[in-house]
Amino acid sequence: MAEQGTATFASPDDFSAAIGAARIDLFITAGGDFNGRLTWLNLGGLHVLCGHENLPRIGFLALPPAQAIISFAANREASLTYCGVRMRFGDLVFHGLGERVHVRTDGEGIWGLISLPPELLAACSNALTGQSIRPPLEGQVIRPPLGVAKHLLFPRPVVSSRANAS
């Protein structure tokens, strides 16, 4: 059964707690009132999450060992640094199982996260490509060509081309 929703937060601690199985500690690095929003979609074992934070911060994340996770910056203007690597728009991070990471934003942060059990990732990737994809031992930054990344992050709408029956 599909579940979806959106929640807003005035506290970074409440925002972090709502993210789910990952343990996240956020340290805000600028003055101002924190505003965060999480939007989620859960389809069985597949979870998609979009986060929006208005203030720069440093995050310490302990990811769950039972989930394959891919994360990415969700807008061109957001500045995101993953474990010391400055992320470019369209970069993806394929995280290792149970990985512990540092992620920093220099301003407003908008990011996405996709997670699913490793077995489901392997089965789906095998069905689609003929190869089982498994999470890496350590997180890896993947830099697809910008045109490909743009379509991944901002897909074109699907237009039905059904012919009229006479």
Side-chain angles (χ1 to χ4, degrees):
M1 182 164 104
E3 298 175 348
Q4 76 280 337
T6 297
T8 56
F9 303 89
S11 157
D13 293 334
D14 293 341
F15 179 83
S16 298
I19 290 176
R23 188 178 61 78
I24 300 170
D25 296 316
L26 293 182
F27 298 92
I28 305 302
T29 59
D33 294 327
F34 178 85
N35 290 299
R37 182 178 66 244
L38 292 174
T39 303
W40 64 89
L41 172 64
N42 297 328
L43 298 168
L46 175 68
H47 306 284
V48 181
L49 182 66
C50 181
H52 181 193
E53 308 155 49
N54 69 318
L55 296 175
R57 53 87 174 157
I58 298 172
F60 299 96
L61 292 72
L63 301 176
Q67 290 291 106
I69 297 175
I70 297 170
S71 64
F72 51 91
N75 75 358
R76 290 183 190 275
E77 293 77 32
S79 172
L80 181 68
T81 303
Y82 159 79
C83 293
V85 177
R86 184 95 161 162
M87 304 295 292
R88 297 186 305 211
F89 177 73
D91 288 354
L92 306 170
V93 179
F94 194 4
H95 296 277
L97 298 176
E99 184 177 29
R100 295 176 184 274
V101 300
H102 296 95
V103 181
R104 180 173 50 88
T105 62
D106 293 332
E108 178 181 43
I110 303 174
W111 49 267
L113 184 143
I114 301 167
S115 79
L116 66 163
E119 304 78 32
L120 181 57
L121 173 63
C124 290
S125 62
N126 192 44
L128 292 170
T129 68
Q131 296 181 339
S132 292
I133 297 174
R134 303 204 180 271
L137 295 175
E138 294 181 352
Q140 297 179 0
V141 175
I142 300 169
R143 291 198 159 130
L146 186 55
V148 173
K150 188 166 96 177
H151 291 295
L152 285 172
L153 297 174
F154 300 105
R156 294 179 185 166
V158 176
V159 178
S160 176
S161 60
R162 291 185 287 174
N164 292 336
S166 312

